[in-house]
Amino acid sequence: MTGKEKVRWDSTRKIIDAAEQIFSKKGFEGATTREIADKAGLPKANIHYYFPTKEDLYVQVLKDILAEWINDAEIFDSSDDPEIAFRAYVSRKIQHSFTRPFASKVWAMEVIGGGTVFDVHLKSSLLEWNTKKCRQINKWIEQGKLRKVNAQYLLYAIWAMTQHYADFEYQTRIINNGQSLGIEQSDEIVENIVQLVLRGVII
Amino acid sequence: MTGKEKVRWDSTRKIIDAAEQIFSKKGFEGATTREIADKAGLPKANIHYYFPTKEDLYVQVLKDILAEWINDAEIFDSSDDPEIAFRAYVSRKIQHSFTRPFASKVWAMEVIGGGTVFDVHLKSSLLEWNTKKCRQINKWIEQGKLRKVNAQYLLYAIWAMTQHYADFEYQTRIINNGQSLGIEQSDEIVENIVQLVLRGVII
DNA sequence: GTCTATAACCGGATAGAC
DNA sequence: GTCTATCCGGTTATAGAC
């Protein structure tokens, strides 16, 4: 990487990291490029130099998140034993909930708001991610390793339970007397979700 | 109710309904009083007549939602049989997910964004709601009706799975080939969540 | 590539006639 | 209680010097 390329890469990275945090607090419309620039430690004009419009930056953030989740889904193929695979997946998802909470929140807000900037690429990536995992679950059912559950609803359940700890962190914090749940609780949380899933599907 | 009171009540209702929809799409910062006024069929100045600031209106919307959810929780006391109580609660929650999706989304966005307008009243109502249900679950555990599960994590799981169908409706729609899940699927969805919960906790 | 200055516009809120 | 007109501050985006 030449010097110029490095500068470009560094600035881009700084901007995306800042954008993730601001978008996760205010959503697309509520976030301002000014706030993002301040958080990134750059003048506002630089944001527009690297990302012509606010929407370009926002879409980039969404694509980054989805790419990470699709990557997480790979672990589903790590074992032919559904118990091991579910545990590995839930564990990785919860880890991400605590280590990269902003990305998850941006995605959640975008979906809740009705997916106004979702383009064809994002939709097809999401479908691919979903299809892949449904197929694996259905294979296990055919092999007699799982009860005949609805794979789609099971995925929604796992998704919802794991995302909850990233997206609704503020709510869990209020309920937990102002104290954040963190990495220390993650084993406990993973075990709890995994138990619910396994009792529900293992024969 | 006198004529004037009726006008006041009608306008207030119209404004809150419109606000729920706009806030659920754009969040607090992203929503504009102009859009809310248009949706309510009133001039913008009228919004400010009934609700001096945008924040006043927003807080009112949040309080309405929480009041409804606290009301939903009452059904938890409807039976001493946890199976019946869980089923009734999940069922009511899913019904609300389909019949009043906007309210749920406003709440979700507010929490995801970090609860910037959460005041003491909202926090204590939320805690009350939570405590009430934890207590009931723990009573069932003491009575030997349920496994020794962590009541708090169980509530998060139920909350997350039921809310998912309201808040992430757009995502489920993409995955379902552009077709909305609706009331027709609600029995199936309720049964799915209830089965997961019951297998997880019933001895 | 960086940054200051500014254009062009839009937001919440209010004044004041009806 | 309703509505038009308007103020003022803040927003995205760009022009142009360095």
Side-chain angles (χ1 to χ4, degrees):
Chain A
M1 191 154 36
T2 69
K4 267 195 180 176
E5 277 168 345
K6 184 173 159 32
V7 166
R8 170 170 281 276
W9 197 88
D10 282 354
S11 293
T12 305
R13 200 62 253 161
K14 265 191 279 189
I15 292 168
I16 291 180
D17 284 350
E20 248 179 45
Q21 293 185 49
I22 305 301
F23 283 135
S24 83
K25 283 210 178 69
K26 312 277 185 81
F28 174 66
E29 287 90 355
T32 67
T33 52
R34 173 81 210 282
E35 266 183 303
I36 293 170
D38 287 353
K39 175 77 76 181
L42 293 167
K44 190 156 66 84
N46 293 29
I47 307 293
H48 284 96
Y49 174 72
Y50 288 103
F51 298 91
T53 69
K54 184 177 154 182
E55 186 171 317
D56 290 333
L57 173 53
Y58 185 66
V59 168
Q60 188 56 53
V61 170
L62 289 178
K63 286 186 177 167
D64 277 12
I65 302 160
L66 187 54
E68 186 175 281
W69 282 334
I70 288 180
N71 190 50
D72 279 0
E74 300 293 328
I75 209 168
F76 232 62
D77 306 323
S78 66
S79 174
D80 265 345
D81 180 346
E83 185 166 338
I84 293 173
F86 278 126
R87 193 181 302 274
Y89 179 60
V90 169
S91 177
R92 186 178 279 208
K93 211 74 184 44
I94 291 291
Q95 290 305 320
H96 270 144
S97 286
F98 290 122
T99 58
R100 288 200 76 214
F102 303 121
S104 173
K105 286 175 181 171
V106 177
W107 177 274
M109 276 202 185
E110 171 63 16
V111 170
I112 293 169
T116 44
V117 307
F118 258 62
D119 64 4
V120 175
H121 173 262
L122 273 170
K123 283 187 192 177
S124 65
S125 297
L126 175 62
L127 279 169
E128 183 199 339
W129 169 88
N130 185 67
T131 306
K132 203 169 185 171
K133 290 198 279 184
C134 272
R135 202 179 298 138
Q136 177 65 285
I137 292 172
N138 285 323
K139 204 184 77 186
W140 284 326
I141 293 174
E142 283 165 30
Q143 292 173 347
K145 290 177 179 172
L146 299 183
R147 282 183 216 262
K148 282 186 180 132
V149 294
N150 181 311
Q152 188 64 71
Y153 290 148
L154 178 62
L155 279 179
Y156 288 152
I158 294 174
W159 173 267
M161 287 189 286
T162 53
Q163 288 303 113
H164 185 80
Y165 290 91
D167 300 340
F168 290 77
E169 187 273 336
Y170 177 73
Q171 188 166 293
T172 60
R173 182 152 36 96
I174 293 181
I175 288 173
N176 197 36
N177 295 312
Q179 183 72 39
S180 281
L181 295 176
I183 292 290
E184 319 81 55
Q185 279 80 39
S186 67
D187 286 352
E188 203 175 312
I189 291 169
V190 168
E191 211 43 45
N192 217 278
I193 295 171
V194 168
Q195 283 305 320
L196 211 54
V197 171
L198 294 183
R199 285 185 187 137
V201 301
I202 297 282
I203 291 172
Chain B
M1 189 152 39
T2 68
K4 267 197 179 172
E5 277 168 346
K6 185 173 158 33
V7 166
R8 170 169 281 276
W9 197 90
D10 282 354
S11 292
T12 306
R13 201 61 253 161
K14 265 191 279 188
I15 293 167
I16 291 180
D17 284 349
E20 248 179 46
Q21 294 185 50
I22 305 300
F23 284 135
S24 83
K25 282 209 178 68
K26 311 277 185 81
F28 174 66
E29 287 90 354
T32 68
T33 52
R34 172 80 209 281
E35 266 183 303
I36 294 170
D38 286 352
K39 175 78 76 179
L42 294 167
K44 188 156 67 87
N46 292 30
I47 307 294
H48 284 96
Y49 174 73
Y50 287 103
F51 298 91
T53 68
K54 183 177 153 182
E55 186 172 317
D56 290 334
L57 173 54
Y58 185 66
V59 169
Q60 187 56 54
V61 170
L62 289 177
K63 285 187 177 166
D64 278 13
I65 301 159
L66 186 54
E68 186 175 281
W69 282 334
I70 288 179
N71 190 50
D72 279 0
E74 300 292 327
I75 210 168
F76 232 63
D77 306 323
S78 66
S79 174
D80 264 345
D81 180 346
E83 184 165 340
I84 293 173
F86 278 127
R87 194 181 301 275
Y89 179 61
V90 169
S91 176
R92 187 179 278 208
K93 212 75 183 42
I94 291 290
Q95 290 306 320
H96 270 144
S97 285
F98 290 122
T99 57
R100 287 200 74 213
F102 302 122
S104 174
K105 286 175 182 171
V106 177
W107 178 274
M109 275 202 185
E110 172 62 16
V111 170
I112 293 169
T116 44
V117 307
F118 259 63
D119 64 3
V120 176
H121 175 262
L122 272 170
K123 283 186 191 176
S124 65
S125 297
L126 175 61
L127 279 168
E128 183 199 337
W129 169 87
N130 185 67
T131 306
K132 204 169 185 172
K133 290 199 278 184
C134 272
R135 201 179 298 138
Q136 177 64 287
I137 291 172
N138 284 323
K139 205 184 78 186
W140 284 326
I141 293 173
E142 283 164 30
Q143 291 173 347
K145 290 177 178 171
L146 300 183
R147 283 184 217 261
K148 281 185 181 133
V149 294
N150 181 311
Q152 189 64 71
Y153 291 148
L154 179 62
L155 279 180
Y156 287 152
I158 294 174
W159 173 267
M161 288 189 285
T162 53
Q163 287 303 111
H164 185 81
Y165 291 91
D167 300 341
F168 290 78
E169 187 274 336
Y170 176 72
Q171 188 168 293
T172 59
R173 182 150 39 93
I174 292 180
I175 288 172
N176 197 36
N177 294 314
Q179 184 72 39
S180 281
L181 296 177
I183 292 291
E184 319 81 55
Q185 280 81 37
S186 67
D187 285 352
E188 203 175 312
I189 291 169
V190 168
E191 211 43 46
N192 216 277
I193 295 171
V194 168
Q195 283 305 321
L196 212 53
V197 170
L198 293 183
R199 286 186 186 137
V201 300
I202 297 283
I203 292 172

